Amino acid sequence: MMDTLALRVAERDLLSPTLLRLRLTSANANKLPSVTPGSHLVLDLPVKDGARRNAYSITQAGKGGTFYEIIVRHSPTSRGGSAFVHKELTVDSILNASCPSNFLALESTAKKILLIGGGVGVTPLLALARARMERGETLEFHQFCTPEEKPVFESLLAPFGQGVACVHAGRNALDFQTLFRRQPLGTYIYTCGPNAMMERVLTEATAMGWPERRIHQESFGAGGGNPFTVTLARTGGTIPVAEDQTLLDALESADVPITSLCRGGACGMCRTPVLAGTPEHRDHFLSADEKASGRWIMPCVSRAHGACLTLDL
Amino acid sequence: MIPSSPVKSRPVYLPFGISPNVQFSLILTDKPTLDPSCLRSETDPDTFDEVWVVHGGSTILPQQHNGLRSFRSVSQLTETLAGRLAHEQMGLRLYAAGSEDFIWKTARIAEQAGLSRDEYSLFKLGPLTRTVMCAHCHTLTRNISMTLITCDGCGATLEVRDHFSRLHGAYLGVQADAETPGILPTVEALT
Ligand code: FES
């Protein structure tokens, strides 16, 4: 099984009413495993009604394994992990986490990277951008947010400099076609944010001749949606999935054994056969054909169209 | 785009069509008479935005193409290409059709400019001849159609292998009687 890390909250910094930055160090003074930019960490969060395992991108890692930094968004409706992080964690709290993994690594041959973030999707992109900047490599960073949050994101992106990073209030504040058309050969796109935004990036870029392999996306497990019920065909149980809960969280809370790693629809570890019902796919792992067949679901991000889903579990 | 053949390094070329939805397409060829039958039926040479041809003195196809540019030599074309790609934007597709060493030379320039395998296509035109690189003196000997040749550089008798170097755009040739000195394998036509 995966190695577990014991982490201590070393610093806690409220960036905005809903964005909390945590600096985590090793709880037993060990060196933390070194990470590549784009990595994330899965935290075990002992919420009241069981345990939540939430994935958070490492926005910055200290040299020599001294710390990891993450930014956690608390949505007012959430009763789950992020609420726990905001309300319960204080300096010196101890947490368990799985060793970091990376499903959004930098392309070593990229001539340039174009980063497009939405809201808290900024987090993995910050690490990628910082790595490129430190190596003196070309990047361009566009971040979308609400008008109220513009100052927060502007300060997060300030290190990259004007002309390189730009914060846009509102989704129509940037014309993707113009942006994509002026990118030099050898550019890769990294996008993280709401699904609708990432879809728009993918459709518009591919329609302009960008190969799909040049576009890397990362979704975060959250997102939520309509509540539904899963039936487990083998064991015969029924489990409700709340609107702010992922299917994976619901299965884990009910002690259904299921393997997972990225919790972001990228690694393929959680792939589960579907026997009835229609999955609403939100992952980047299944091919278009596999998605259309409706025979598989990635429970870490995907949900159900309709009220129920039957899984081969 | 290039499926593997029984010998891993030997490239297999498919007839090519043009990718839809691209911003700009450029085809390069060192064959002044680009035989349209080599292109997939739905591919109209006029749909390329630009056609660059190494002009061998004979007719150039397509005859009346606005984006047609002629070059005196392969090296003149490849140098111009490198300079041009440095200023191009995403959404470009590059096609190269012609002799094997020519198309792989352009592939190398494309890669250096940042193009990925999805963004350029190679197509071999012309007779089934090979360019052979001598494993001993590294000289390239061109227009080879038989399995045994004399190296243009060191004069060794070389056996032509299926091992293909993408870097040199050439097949490997090794001393033919290396195993039993004086005994040569039978000469066959290359396929
Ligand atoms: S855990 Fe990686 S795809 Fe679901």
Side-chain angles (χ1 to χ4, degrees):
Chain A
M1 270 320 282
M2 192 151 293
D3 291 342
T4 314
L5 294 175
L7 300 174
R8 188 179 66 86
V9 178
E11 278 171 41
R12 194 180 176 283
D13 185 9
L14 202 58
L15 303 176
S16 82
T18 64
L19 289 171
L20 177 67
R21 179 161 61 195
L22 293 180
R23 185 171 279 211
L24 305 165
T25 57
S26 167
N28 37 38
N30 290 337
K31 258 172 73 175
L32 295 170
S34 68
V35 293
T36 48
S39 297
H40 70 262
L41 194 64
V42 176
L43 297 182
D44 285 336
L45 302 168
V47 297
K48 281 196 195 68
D49 51 349
R52 283 283 165 94
R53 302 186 63 221
N54 282 12
Y56 297 105
S57 295
I58 298 174
T59 53
Q60 190 176 0
K63 299 253 168 346
T66 44
F67 67 85
Y68 297 148
E69 206 170 78
I70 60 172
I71 297 176
V72 179
R73 159 86 84 193
H74 171 41
S75 60
T77 56
S78 158
R79 293 167 296 137
S82 64
F84 177 88
V85 171
H86 274 251
K87 294 192 187 124
E88 311 287 331
L89 288 184
T90 53
V91 170
D92 284 338
S93 293
I94 303 289
L95 278 176
N96 281 331
S98 61
C99 266
S101 46
N102 193 346
F103 297 94
L104 198 67
L106 282 171
E107 294 275 356
S108 59
T109 59
K111 300 275 181 196
K112 174 176 177 180
I113 66 169
L114 176 63
L115 304 137
I116 303 170
V120 75
V122 73
T123 51
L125 307 184
L126 285 173
L128 298 174
R130 184 172 288 118
R132 293 278 300 185
M133 189 179 69
E134 281 169 4
R135 297 181 210 151
E137 295 167 336
T138 318
L139 70 117
E140 183 173 342
F141 200 153
H142 293 275
Q143 173 67 29
F144 291 90
C145 67
T146 59
E148 304 76 65
E149 285 194 316
K150 205 171 175 214
V152 185
F153 284 100
E154 275 171 346
S155 68
L156 284 173
L157 267 58
F160 308 112
Q162 276 182 3
V164 170
C166 190
V167 178
H168 308 273
R171 64 162 75 186
N172 295 321
L174 177 68
D175 175 14
F176 281 159
Q177 291 206 4
T178 317
L179 175 69
F180 296 160
R181 191 166 293 125
R182 63 172 170 75
Q183 297 308 316
L185 291 179
T187 303
Y188 282 85
I189 293 178
Y190 286 82
T191 178
C192 184
N195 276 302
M197 183 200 82
M198 294 196 292
E199 266 313 301
R200 231 183 95 208
V201 168
L202 184 69
T203 353
E204 296 204 19
T206 48
M208 294 173 66
W210 289 60
E212 249 185 84
R213 268 183 280 214
R214 288 210 173 262
I215 301 151
H216 295 296
Q217 323 182 8
E218 179 155 285
S219 30
F220 14 82
N226 292 329
F228 58 100
T229 322
V230 270
T231 306
L232 308 178
R234 292 199 209 173
T235 44
T238 346
I239 300 168
V241 183
E243 60 228 285
D244 64 341
Q245 189 183 30
T246 66
L247 172 54
L248 181 61
D249 280 331
L251 293 169
E252 285 176 342
S253 310
D255 284 330
V256 180
I258 179 159
T259 47
S260 67
L261 182 58
C262 70
R263 305 180 85 85
C267 73
M269 291 290 281
C270 66
R271 188 172 77 152
T272 304
V274 176
L275 298 177
T278 315
E280 182 203 329
H281 298 289
R282 296 183 180 182
D283 64 279
H284 313 301
F285 178 78
L286 295 174
S287 69
D289 286 348
E290 286 171 320
K291 284 182 183 167
S293 81
R295 289 181 49 221
W296 304 98
I297 189 167
M298 313 306 292
C300 60
V301 286
S302 297
R303 306 182 68 84
H305 281 302
C308 20
L309 207 58
T310 306
L311 302 180
D312 191 8
L313 284 173
Chain B
M1 192 64 56
I2 296 187
S4 58
S5 74
V7 171
K8 256 244 185 75
S9 69
R10 183 175 175 186
V12 175
Y13 305 95
L14 298 174
F16 65 71
I18 308 180
S19 323
N21 303 331
V22 303
Q23 299 298 300
F24 192 83
S25 62
L26 169 60
I27 182 167
L28 319 166
T29 180
D30 66 344
K31 300 278 182 246
T33 46
L34 178 58
D35 176 2
S37 72
C38 301
L39 302 175
R40 249 196 263 147
S41 52
E42 70 269 30
T43 306
D44 173 2
D46 284 336
T47 57
F48 295 106
D49 291 302
E50 280 185 36
V51 180
W52 291 13
V53 181
V54 179
H55 194 273
S58 47
T59 35
I60 292 168
L61 185 130
Q63 298 279 353
Q64 304 294 332
H65 194 290
N66 291 335
L68 182 68
R69 268 183 89 167
S70 301
F71 293 86
R72 237 174 302 124
S73 64
V74 169
S75 59
Q76 191 198 18
L77 180 145
T78 51
E79 275 160 31
T80 313
L81 178 65
R84 171 69 176 271
L85 292 182
H87 300 105
E88 279 295 335
Q89 273 78 41
M90 287 293 297
L92 174 133
R93 285 294 181 287
L94 190 69
Y95 303 85
S99 66
E100 225 161 11
D101 55 335
F102 170 76
I103 59 181
W104 286 98
K105 223 171 251 164
T106 62
R108 220 158 58 240
I109 292 166
E111 296 267 354
Q112 279 160 4
L115 288 178
S116 66
R117 207 58 201 82
D118 298 323
E119 293 159 297
Y120 65 89
S121 308
L122 306 179
F123 187 63
K124 189 185 165 183
L125 293 183
L128 279 172
T129 57
R130 297 186 183 183
T131 296
V132 176
M133 186 179 69
C134 175
H136 314 288
C137 73
H138 293 187
T139 301
L140 297 181
T141 307
R142 292 173 209 276
N143 300 320
I144 298 306
S145 56
M146 303 307 269
T147 54
L148 278 191
I149 65 156
T150 306
C151 173
D152 273 354
C154 63
T157 304
L158 302 177
E159 185 180 357
V160 180
R161 298 281 170 84
D162 272 348
H163 179 83
F164 183 76
S165 158
R166 277 152 215 249
L167 185 65
H168 299 99
Y171 290 85
L172 190 70
V174 293
Q175 180 83 38
D177 60 350
E179 276 169 25
T180 334
I183 311 270
L184 293 176
T186 45
V187 187
E188 283 163 39
L190 286 167
T191 51

